Amino acid sequence: AAFLSLYDRETKMTSDLGVICPDATCPTNEFSQTYSNLTLVAQLESYRTKISSTRDSLVSLASTSVGEAMYEVEDFLCHMNVSFVERRYSK
């Protein structure tokens, strides 16, 4: 009985991770109801996609006129001691 209990726990853990999906039941119902319909591996893949998209957006932003304006403001703040502009810019 102890072996079956441990085997059941292992099966549920690997299913929730998305490593081994017995009978195409990844993740388990308990995991889906408590956390997410995605396995942990699928959640990490989704996070990677989203963070890569954010990185690409930031790179694009830096190469536009908005990025150039931000650079000019930062350059101005660096060379001038204008604290009221810095407080507004930081917000």
Side-chain angles (χ1 to χ4, degrees):
F3 174 76
L4 291 177
S5 176
L6 290 175
Y7 178 75
D8 186 49
R9 284 186 188 176
E10 177 188 6
T11 303
K12 287 180 179 181
M13 285 177 26
T14 57
S15 177
D16 293 341
L17 285 170
V19 178
I20 300 172
C21 299
D23 304 324
T25 55
C26 280
T28 61
N29 288 332
E30 295 89 356
F31 188 86
S32 294
Q33 292 172 357
T34 306
Y35 302 106
S36 171
N37 289 329
L38 298 175
T39 64
L40 290 174
V41 170
Q43 288 180 44
L44 289 173
E45 289 294 328
S46 174
Y47 180 72
R48 180 193 324 183
T49 301
K50 289 176 184 176
I51 207 77
S52 295
S53 175
T54 301
R55 179 202 61 212
D56 294 343
S57 296
L58 289 173
V59 168
S60 294
L61 176 66
S63 64
T64 64
S65 59
V66 173
E68 291 171 15
M70 290 169 57
Y71 173 77
E72 293 298 326
V73 169
E74 289 173 358
D75 186 52
F76 174 76
L77 292 174
C78 183
H79 291 93
M80 304 294 290
N81 186 13
V82 186
S83 60
F84 71 92
V85 175
E86 180 182 12
R87 283 194 304 272
R88 287 287 191 195
Y89 177 70
S90 297
K91 291 181 181 181

